Amino acid sequence: MTPIQVFNNNIVLIAFMGAGKTTISDYLNTLFAMDVIEMDQIIAEREGMSISDIFAEHGEQYFRDAETNLLIEMQSRKNTVISCGGGVPLREVNVVEMRKNGKVVLLTATPETILERVKDDHNRPLIENNKTVEFIADLMEKRREKYEAAADIIIVTDGKSKLEICEELVQRLLEEDK
C-alpha cells in the first residue's frame, strides 16, 4: 500500500502521558507518510541531555521556552505530526503557536488505562514514585481544562486499536476542513 498525503496542515497531538501520542504518531507516519516530530526527543537531542537533566541544569523555564521556540519553528513544516510533551498545552503562548501549526488533537484515556500503559515505563519522572490511579487521576484533572481548551478535536483512546483511533482522527479532521 502506498502512503498518501491527506492533510495540508500539520496534526498537533496533545495528551496526558500514556494516552497514545507516540503510538498514533508512528501509525500516521506509516499510513500517510507524515513526518513525526516528538518535541521532547528533539529538545533532548539538541541539548545533548535528558529532559530531567535539562530541568536540573537549566530549570523548567528554559525547557518551556525551548518548547515554545520549537513550536514556532514547526510552522514552516507541512504534512507533519507534532507530538507535544504533556506540559506544552498548559502555557497560553504554546496554544497560540500550536494553532498556527495545524489542527490540535487531544487524545484521552481513563486514569486506569493510563496506569496500565505506563506501569512498566521508568522514563516518566512525574509519576515514577506515584503510579496509582488516584495520583494519575488528580494530575489529569489539574490539566484537563487547559488540554480541552487547546483542542480542536478530542478522541477517546480507551479500548480502541490504533487503526480505529486513526480512522476516527482522519474522519474528524476531514469534517473540520469542510
Side-chain angles (χ1 to χ4, degrees), residues 105-170:
V105 178
L106 171 61
L107 302 177
T108 66
T110 64
E112 292 80 6
T113 298
I114 299 288
L115 179 60
E116 183 58 33
R117 292 176 182 169
V118 303
K119 69 178 189 235
D120 298 322
D121 185 342
H122 300 289
N123 294 316
R124 301 183 187 270
L126 203 55
I127 65 162
E128 181 55 35
N129 298 313
N130 295 293
K131 289 185 181 168
T132 66
V133 168
E134 295 76 22
F135 183 83
I136 291 169
D138 184 54
L139 194 52
M140 288 176 76
E141 184 55 31
K142 287 177 182 167
R143 294 181 172 192
R144 184 180 57 79
E145 187 177 327
K146 288 195 181 266
Y147 277 31
E148 289 177 358
D152 295 307
I153 296 169
I154 300 173
I155 296 178
V156 177
T157 65
D158 297 289
K160 295 177 186 170
S161 70
K162 58 188 175 186
L163 177 59
E164 290 170 321
I165 294 164
C166 285
E167 284 176 341
E168 181 178 345
L169 190 152
V170 169

Side-chain angles (χ1 to χ4, degrees), residues 1-9 11 24-36 78-81 162-174:
M1 177 169 84
T2 305
I4 56 171
Q5 183 171 341
V6 176
F7 311 107
N8 293 322
N9 294 319
I11 298 172
I24 298 309
S25 295
D26 290 346
Y27 204 59
L28 288 168
N29 169 265
T30 301
L31 289 176
F32 302 115
M34 296 182 80
D35 292 332
V36 175
K78 293 285 179 235
N79 200 43
T80 301
V81 179
K162 58 188 175 186
L163 177 59
E164 290 170 321
I165 294 164
C166 285
E167 284 176 341
E168 181 178 345
L169 190 152
V170 169
Q171 179 183 346
R172 303 269 306 275
L173 286 171
L174 292 174

